[in-house]
Every structure is written in structure tokens, then in C-alpha cells.
């Protein structure tokens, strides 16, 4: 093995961003915030070790240094975006802030306010940004306005269970420390003097809202939502039923402004301008028109990124595409693993938190797999295209779409299963229709809409975009309605995602026989899907709902009136279809839950332990002998060897409990309040 690694010396630099990613993962895995000096000291010490070590021993300190740099980047990013997180719910308080962005929803709007003030809250404890939902679209505030509204506020919600997506951490890295809803209409307040960056942001946000309004003059419903999403990056106006159809059909990636869209914008500008310049012989013969076209394409994708709000997927795609265009400017091949890994390194160092999200993982996973695959097939593909006529070229294009969809789908499948517990089975079929429509119809019309809108002449181009959007939506609904459209599996532990990610990278980044060792990571991930480790009991962080495992493996919940989002997420993470069942006032049909006098006894089918679930205020007249007591809000717990109270839930977040024989394992979403800056 070591001889094989030595033979791959030329590919060692490809692993530097993997080291960055490992350091970032280490930072976010820590239960408590590390000392602020720890990352910097580690980087300095390893830099010294790299200088002192001889060339033949330098690879180890360099590998450790890459990990330390990733750790330090995550620490620095946390300090840069730090904002107070609301510690207690506030009802009917006056919130004043400057409108940063407005998202129109399917029934209302969502507004992000900056430079906020909250009545009754000290300045040092006020979040930098607050997100509010308005139930009406009667009056839409414009970006840059300063408004005042009566609202209810709470902290962004944490994970629904240990290992689940952390909404609070996600909001923290957007500097959002509170969320809520408005009670009544907003009132206009005197605006603050904006700085240059705020004026630029307000201008682009105003342009996005203007585009959305113009689209809605020609289109309505889901078609308007899809066209708006591709022009402005705002997907919130698409009805939830259509979003679900896009997910089940494997077409949701078309709504995220990422590699496909940025690549299409760059390609359309690059090839169109180059073709036009080639029509003028004096220019084509004496000037580098290819490089001119690359510069124009770079300007186009930067403008596109600014217009759609520069979300993380778009930033990542613009960096990647920009590096490819830069390669053209310096006469290098733009399609190589080195370019992709350099793009990954830039994104990881600038936005380390992006590593934790499915967008980063799926995008880079797909692109890396595609480049690795096409590099291996390049000689044969070149031979096929050398003497191809129109029919063969058309056939090769269709086969290319199929291959691309298969490779990208296979590469992103582990991430889809880990994050969403489902994968689209007919994604190849749906993409065969939707990707060409997007590439050759919707995006060209979209560029024309941008050009015509300043003159008010975009109406017919918007209508043409709507025709393409209708085709995509029809395809999504048809494919999503097919039998077995998606595969659902239980949530896998985080170590399995690490195993399959490292295994896939090992397969793609090495070139010799040593690469096949990466299959071990793929096998580990696949095996974990068949032997899931699911909790017997779950309790949400607010103590509103409890879920238990029935004898047949189904999920039973105490109520659907409260904590509905949590129970739906638990159902999905168990890989179960439909909605969870509610046990009755007397208990469950299978007898594992028996209720009476405001408390329920739960006897798991595969352990001898007994659990008392208390939901009624006060204490029962008689406390049974049990191994575990869970007392929700207002309940006085009966005695037991293990007791979980409402105070425990408030302090440590959502709980997951595993009953293994005579043993009880309790996992929580945090060790204590304030363990991390976002908790």
C-alpha cells in the first residue's frame, strides 16, 4: 500500500482540500466551543514542524497542517458571523429593522430585517438579523426600508434529534438570531443612512423583487415560481406540492442556482460571443477572441451570481466556473480534478459551514465523479466523435445525458439518502426531458429576459420561459406519480457518510490499483442502510410530543396537535412513508403503550425496561415502579433511576433514547446551553 501511495506522489496535492474538510468536521463535531487560540497555535506549530522536517518526512506534517487550517478557518468564520441568539421567547414585542430581503411565499411573505431593535431587549442581546413571516401580501416592503411591526419572536429551532440537520446553526451562519411572525401590518420608519455595501445589496434585492413582479404579470402559479427561481434564485413562491414532485422526480437540482445554470450562462455567453467575433475575419485572425469570450463569460456569471442573491451553491459554482475560465485565459485545460479541488479549497476556506450541507456535498460529489468518469472515457469518446455524422452525434448526445445522469445520480445518492432518507428512482428518465428543456429553451430565453426587461419588452420572452417551466412541472408530476418513484431508507449515522465520502474520493483521486481500496467505504455505507440503529423513544426540545417505537417498528406519537414538524421529521428519518400514528387515550392497539390518569406506561417489545411517560400537570396518585420517567411540561416526575424533566429538555435540547437490553443510552442535541455559539 505504501509503495502504491509513493507512486501517486503527483496526486498528493489533490488531498489538501480533503484535509481542510477533515479539520472543519473536527471543529463542528466538538461538543463544546474550543478555545479561540487553539486553531492558530496548531497551525503555527505544524508550520514549524513542516519547515524543520526533511523533504522525505514532510508529507505527514503537511497533512496535519491542512487539517489545522480547516479547523482555524471554521473558528474564524464563526467569529465573523457571530450574533446573539434569542434565549427566551418574546410575544407581542415591537421589532424595528431595515429590510434586507423579501421572499414571497405560497401564502404570505418572509422578510429578513437587519440593524434590528426589539422592545424590552438590551442592545447587546439583540440579534443582528431577524426573520419574520407575514401572512399577507397586501403591502410588500421594499429592500432598504426601515419598518416597525408587532411580532412574536423565538430562537431558531435546533435539531429535531441528535444527528439531524441543525436549523439553528444554519441560521447562525446567516447572522440570524431570532425568527417569528408579524401580528399586523408594518409601519414605515425613518431610514438609517446605508453604507456602500448596503446600498449595493439593496439595489440587487430591489432588482430581484422587480423581476419577480414582472414575471407574475405574465405567469401565475407554479410556472411563475419556477421562472422566478431561475431568474432570481427565489424558490419560495413554488407551491409545496410541486416542490415535492420535483424532489421525488430528481429534478429539484434545477431549482437551485448551481453548476448547471452557471455553466449554461457561461457557455451561452462564451460560445455566442466567440461565434459572433469569428464572423469578423480581421478580429478573428489578429486577436485572442477565445480569451475575450472567456472574460465576457466571467463577467456574466458574476453578474448572475449577484442578481440571484449569491447563495452558497451559486458562489461555489461561480468559483468553479471562474477557475475553468481562468484556465482558458492561461491556456490550460479547464476540465481537471486539480481545478475542482482548488474550487473546493476556496469554498471551504471562505465558508467552512457549507461542508455540512447537502448542496456542497452533492455538487462537488457529482462534478468530481463526472470529471473522473469522462477522463477515463476520453480516448474512446474522441474516437467515436471523430467521424460522427448528424445521427451519431445525436445518439451520442442522448447517451451522454444518460451517462451524466447515471454518474451524477450514483455519486449523489449517498448524500441524498443521508440528508433526506430518500432518492429518486426515475431521475434519469425525468432528466432526459428536463435538462435539454432547461439548457436549450428556458435558460436562453432567461438571458433574453434580462436583456429586454430594462426596456419593458420582456413579456413574450417570459411567456416562452413559462412554456418550458410547464414542461418541467408536467414531467416532475408524471414521474413523481409513478409507482416506486422514490426509495426511502432510515437515517444513517454520520460515520457512514464520512466512510462513503472518503471511499469515493479514494476511488477518484488515485489513478493506480490502490484506488480500489475505496470500495470499502462504499460497502460500509451500504451495510449501514440494512442495519439501522433507531431510537426507541424521542422527545422534542419543547416537551410537546413524545414518539415511541411500536412492536412492528412503526412510530407512535403522543399528539399531532403540537410538535407536528418534529414528528414528521422523525417519521422521515425512520424511512417510513406517510404520517406517524397517534396512540389513543387508553394506549396503543399492540399494548406497548397503556395510558390512564395523565400518564402512560411504555414497555418496548425487545427490552425488559419500563418507561413512564407523564404529560399531565402534577404527579399521579400512585407512581409505578419503572426504570425511566419522562415528565413533560408541568408534570412532577415520579421517582426512577433515570428521570428526564422539562428542565432537562430546555437545557439539553431534543432527546433520543436507546433501550438495549438492560442498558439505557440517552443522546441529546447539546451538552448544555451555550455549549456552542449557536446553541
Amino acid at each position: 500500500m505504501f509503495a502504491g501511495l509513493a507512486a501517486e506522489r503527483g496526486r498528493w496535492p489533490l488531498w489538501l482540500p480533503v484535509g481542510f474538510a477533515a479539520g472543519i468536521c473536527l471543529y463542528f463535531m466538538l461538543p463544546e466551543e474550543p478555545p479561540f487560540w487553539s486553531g492558530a497555535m496548531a497551525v503555527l506549530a505544524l508550520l514549524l514542524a513542516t519547515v524543520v522536517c526533511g523533504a522525505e518526512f514532510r508529507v505527514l506534517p503537511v497533512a496535519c497542517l491542512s487539517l489545522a487550517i480547516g479547523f482555524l478557518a471554521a473558528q474564524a468564520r464563526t467569529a465573523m458571523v457571530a450574533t446573539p441568539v434569542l434565549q427566551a421567547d418574546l410575544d407581542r414585542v415591537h421589532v424595528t429593522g431595515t429590510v434586507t430581503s423579501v421572499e414571497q411565499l405560497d401564502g404570505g411573505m418572509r422578510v429578513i430585517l437587519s440593524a434590528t431593535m426589539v422592545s424590552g431587549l438590551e442592545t447587546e442581546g439583540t440579534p443582528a438579523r431577524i426573520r419574520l413571516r407575514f401572512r399577507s401580501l397586501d403591502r410588500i416592503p421594499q429592500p432598504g426600508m426601515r419598518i416597525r411591526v408587532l411580532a412574536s419572536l423565538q430562537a431558531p429551532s435546533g435539531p429535531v434529534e441528535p444527528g439531524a440537520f441543525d436549523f439553528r446553526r444554519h441560521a447562525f451562519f446567516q447572522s440570524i438570531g431570532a425568527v417569528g411572525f408579524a401580528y399586523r401590518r408594518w409601519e414605515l420608519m425613518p431610514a438609517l443612512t446605508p453604507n456602500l455595501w448596503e446600498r449595493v445589496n439593496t439595489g440587487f434585492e430591489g432588482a430581484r423583487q422587480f423581476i419577480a413582479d414582472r414575471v407574475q404579470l405574465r405567469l401565475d402559479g407554479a410556472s411563475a415560481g419556477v421562472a422566478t427561481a431561475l431568474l432570481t434564485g427565489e424558490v419560495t413562491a413554488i407551491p409545496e406540492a410541486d416542490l415535492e414532485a420535483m424532489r421525488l422526480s430528481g429534478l429539484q437540482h434545477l431549482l437551485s442556482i448551481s453548476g448547471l445554470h452557471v455553466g449554461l450562462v457561461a457557455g451561452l455567453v462564451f460560445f455566442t460571443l466567440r461565434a459572433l467575433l469569428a464572423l469578423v475575419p480581421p478580429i478573428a485572425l489578429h486577436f485572442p477572441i477565445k480569451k475575450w469570450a472567456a472574460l465576457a463569460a466571467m463577467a456574466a456569471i458574476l453578474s448572475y451570481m449577484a442578481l440571484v442573491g449569491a447563495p452558497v451553491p451559486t458562489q461555489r459554482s461561480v468559483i468553479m466556473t471562474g477557475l475553468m475560465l481562468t484556465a482558458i485565459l492561461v491556456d490550460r485545460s479547464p476540465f481537471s480534478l486539480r481545478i475542482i479541488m482548488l474550487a473546493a479549497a476556496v469554498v471551504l476556506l471562505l465558508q467552512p459551514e457549507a461542508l455540512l450541507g447537502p448542496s456542497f456535498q452533492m455538487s462537488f460529489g457529482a462534478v468530481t465523479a463526472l470529471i473522473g468518469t469522462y477522463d477515463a472515457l476520453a480516448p474512446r469518446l474522441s474516437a467515436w466523435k471523430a467521424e460522427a455524422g448528424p445521427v451519431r452525434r445525436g445518439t451520442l448526445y442522448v447517451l451522454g445525458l444518460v451517462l451524466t445522469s447515471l454518474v451524477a445520480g450514483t455519486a449523489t445518492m449517498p448524500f441524498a439518502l443521508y440528508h433526506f432518507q430518500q432518492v429518486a428512482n426515475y431521475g434519469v428518465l425525468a432528466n432526459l426531458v428536463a435538462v435539454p428543456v432547461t439548457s436549450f429553451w428556458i435558460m436562453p430565453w432567461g438571458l433574453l429576459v434580462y436583456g429586454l426587461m430594462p426596456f419593458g419588452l420582456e413579456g413574450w420572452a417570459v411567456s416562452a420561459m413559462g412554456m418550458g417551466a410547464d414542461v418541467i412541472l408536467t414531467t416532475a408530476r408524471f414521474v413523481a406519480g409513478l409507482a416506486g418513484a422514490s426509495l426511502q431508507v432510515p437515517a444513517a449515522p454520520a460515520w457512514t457518510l464520512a466512510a462513503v465520502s472518503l471511499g469515493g474520493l479514494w476511488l477518484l483521486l488515485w489513478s493506480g490499483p490502490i484506488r480500489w481500496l475505496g470500495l470499502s467505504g462504499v460497502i460500509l455505507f451500504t451495510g449501514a442502510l440494512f442495519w439501522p440503529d433507531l431510537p426507541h423513544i424521542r422527545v422534542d426540545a419543547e416537551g410537546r410530543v413524545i414518539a415511541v417505537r411500536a412492536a412492528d417498528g412503526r412510530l407512535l406519537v403522543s399528539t399531532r396537535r403540537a410538535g407536528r414538524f418534529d414528528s414528521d421529521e422523525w417519521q422521515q428519518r425512520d424511512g417510513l412513508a406517510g404520517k406517524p400514528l397517534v396512540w389513543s387515550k387508553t394506549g396503543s392497539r399492540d399494548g406497548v403503550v397503556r395510558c390512564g390518569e395523565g400518564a402512560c406506561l411504555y414497555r418496548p417489545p425487545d427490552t425488559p425496561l419500563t418507561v413512564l411517560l407523564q404529560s399531565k400537570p402534577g404527579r399521579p396518585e400512585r407512581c409505578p415502579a419503572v426504570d425511566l420517567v419522562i415528565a413533560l411540561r408541568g408534570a412532577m416526575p415520579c421517582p426512577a433511576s433515570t428521570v428526564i424533566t422539562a428542565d432537562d429538555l430546555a437545557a439539553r435540547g431534543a432527546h433520543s433514547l436507546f433501550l438495549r437490553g438492560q442498558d439505557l443510552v440517552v443522546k441529546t442535541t447539546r451538552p448544555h446551553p451555550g455549549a456552542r455559539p449557536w446553541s
Side-chain angles (χ1 to χ4, degrees):
M1 176 178 174
F2 293 106
L5 289 175
E8 299 272 3
R9 182 181 296 269
R11 288 180 168 252
W12 287 1
L14 295 175
W15 287 88
L16 281 176
V18 181
F20 297 160
I24 294 167
C25 285
L26 176 61
Y27 170 79
F28 284 108
M29 285 171 58
L30 295 176
E32 300 193 39
E33 189 68 15
F36 69 92
W37 47 262
S38 56
M41 290 297 293
V43 169
L44 291 174
L46 288 165
L47 274 174
L48 180 61
T50 302
V51 172
V52 171
C53 285
E56 64 274 17
F57 301 108
R58 195 164 289 164
V59 62
L60 182 59
V62 168
C64 295
L65 178 61
S66 66
L67 188 147
I69 290 174
F71 189 93
L72 178 60
Q75 280 190 302
R77 175 69 173 165
T78 299
M80 289 174 59
V81 303
T83 183
V85 177
L86 198 65
Q87 297 302 307
D89 294 354
L90 299 175
D91 190 28
R92 305 190 73 83
V93 293
H94 285 97
V95 179
T96 305
T98 301
V99 177
T100 300
S101 68
V102 180
E103 295 178 329
Q104 296 186 25
L105 307 175
D106 185 24
M109 61 182 171
R110 191 163 58 197
V111 176
I112 294 180
L113 302 176
S114 61
T116 56
M117 296 188 300
V118 179
S119 59
L121 201 61
E122 298 293 334
T123 303
E124 58 272 14
T126 302
R129 305 173 82 195
I130 294 174
R131 188 178 67 211
L132 291 177
R133 177 159 184 161
F134 291 72
R135 295 187 177 93
S136 173
L137 282 171
D138 291 343
R139 295 175 64 212
I140 301 177
Q142 299 300 309
M145 286 184 174
R146 192 159 180 83
I147 64 173
R148 182 172 180 261
V149 66
L150 186 67
S152 173
L153 297 180
Q154 62 185 28
S157 59
V160 297
E161 68 175 353
F165 183 78
D166 193 338
F167 299 93
R168 184 176 297 188
R169 182 183 62 206
H170 179 72
F172 174 85
F173 281 97
Q174 296 177 317
S175 294
I176 297 174
V179 298
F181 61 89
Y183 279 107
R184 58 172 72 112
R185 289 186 172 186
W186 52 270
E187 55 182 301
L188 188 63
M189 303 292 289
L192 302 178
T193 302
N195 57 34
L196 177 61
W197 173 249
E198 290 171 340
R199 287 198 295 269
V200 171
N201 179 72
T202 298
F204 277 111
E205 186 62 36
R208 286 190 286 274
Q209 192 162 323
F210 174 78
I211 291 171
D213 292 341
R214 299 292 294 183
V215 168
Q216 290 179 354
L217 290 176
R218 300 288 298 213
L219 305 174
D220 54 20
S223 298
V226 171
T228 301
L230 296 176
L231 291 171
T232 70
E234 181 182 310
V235 301
T236 51
I238 302 175
E240 181 58 35
D242 290 299
L243 282 175
E244 181 65 14
M246 297 287 283
R247 284 192 287 266
L248 293 177
S249 62
L251 296 181
Q252 190 179 15
H253 67 97
L254 296 178
L255 301 177
S256 174
I257 308 299
S258 54
L260 174 65
H261 310 83
V262 173
L264 286 172
V265 170
L268 287 169
V269 173
F270 177 83
F271 290 111
T272 301
L273 181 60
R274 189 180 180 189
L276 291 174
L277 292 174
L279 295 176
V280 186
I283 296 178
L285 294 174
H286 298 93
F287 295 96
I289 61 173
K290 182 178 180 181
K291 295 182 179 182
W292 287 6
L295 286 172
M298 195 175 297
I301 61 174
L302 289 172
S303 301
Y304 187 46
M305 178 180 69
L307 195 57
V308 300
V312 171
T314 311
Q315 293 180 33
R316 180 193 61 251
S317 302
V318 166
I319 291 172
M320 188 183 303
T321 308
L323 287 170
M324 291 180 176
L325 293 170
T326 302
I328 293 175
L329 294 175
V330 297
D331 299 314
R332 297 294 181 93
S333 171
F335 302 105
S336 72
L337 286 174
R338 292 181 181 273
I339 295 293
I340 300 307
M341 301 314 284
L342 179 58
V346 172
V347 173
L348 289 172
L349 294 179
L350 293 179
Q351 292 184 309
E353 73 278 6
L355 174 67
L356 306 179
S359 178
F360 176 95
Q361 297 166 9
M362 297 177 76
S363 178
F364 274 104
V367 173
T368 305
L370 287 169
I371 288 181
T373 300
Y374 280 102
D375 276 350
L377 296 176
R380 182 167 296 180
L381 291 175
S382 298
W384 287 345
K385 290 180 179 179
E387 299 178 358
V391 175
R392 180 182 288 187
R393 286 186 177 276
T395 304
L396 288 175
Y397 174 76
V398 174
L399 292 176
L401 281 178
V402 174
L403 178 62
T404 298
S405 185
L406 284 173
V407 172
T410 302
T412 57
M413 184 182 298
F415 306 111
L417 291 175
Y418 177 81
H419 289 285
F420 310 117
Q421 293 77 56
Q422 69 177 20
V423 66
N425 290 330
Y426 307 132
V428 173
L429 173 63
N431 280 280
L432 276 175
V433 176
V435 170
V437 170
T438 303
S439 304
F440 298 115
W441 184 266
I442 294 180
M443 292 305 294
W445 283 114
L447 290 179
L448 195 57
V449 167
Y450 287 141
L452 295 175
M453 194 166 283
F455 308 102
L457 303 174
E458 78 289 342
W460 59 281
V462 171
S463 297
M465 279 192 77
M467 293 169 59
D470 287 336
V471 173
I472 290 177
L473 289 166
T474 301
T475 303
R477 293 162 186 158
F478 172 76
V479 173
L482 295 176
S486 65
L487 170 69
Q488 290 184 287
V489 299
W495 68 264
T496 62
L497 185 68
V500 74
S501 299
L502 287 173
L505 288 168
W506 196 273
L507 283 166
L508 292 167
L509 298 188
W510 299 131
S511 60
I514 193 175
R515 63 163 53 178
W516 300 112
L517 292 175
L519 288 174
S520 59
V522 179
I523 294 171
L524 282 173
F525 178 82
T526 305
L529 297 179
F530 293 97
W531 289 281
D533 186 20
L534 302 177
H536 289 80
I537 305 173
R538 294 180 173 102
V539 190
D540 77 311
E542 287 75 32
R544 298 167 301 179
V545 60
I546 299 175
V548 300
R549 183 80 48 208
D552 58 2
R554 290 183 301 171
L555 203 63
L556 302 176
V557 296
S558 57
T559 180
R560 290 286 289 166
R561 294 181 179 177
R564 179 169 296 187
F565 175 81
D566 298 75
S567 59
D568 285 346
E569 286 291 304
W570 294 336
Q571 180 86 346
Q572 176 179 315
R573 288 181 61 79
D574 280 359
L576 302 173
K579 302 298 182 183
L581 301 176
V582 181
W583 70 69
S584 68
K585 294 181 179 179
T586 59
S588 61
R589 292 182 178 180
D590 59 5
V592 297
V593 179
R594 298 182 181 275
C595 300
E597 298 183 1
C600 297
L601 280 176
Y602 171 52
R603 292 186 173 89
D606 51 353
T607 76
L609 301 178
T610 304
V611 182
L612 180 63
L613 311 174
Q614 294 181 230
S615 58
K616 185 178 180 180
R619 178 179 291 179
E621 295 181 2
R622 292 182 298 174
C623 285
V626 294
D627 303 284
L628 167 67
V629 170
I630 300 176
L632 301 186
R633 291 181 292 184
M636 297 177 60
C638 289
S641 56
T642 303
V643 177
I644 298 174
T645 66
D647 291 337
D648 295 319
L649 298 173
R652 304 178 65 189
H655 282 50
S656 292
L657 296 92
F658 300 79
L659 310 178
R660 295 166 179 161
Q662 298 283 353
D663 298 325
L664 170 65
V665 178
V666 180
K667 296 183 180 181
T668 64
T669 56
R670 60 174 180 264
H672 59 79
R676 305 306 299 266
W678 50 85
S679 64

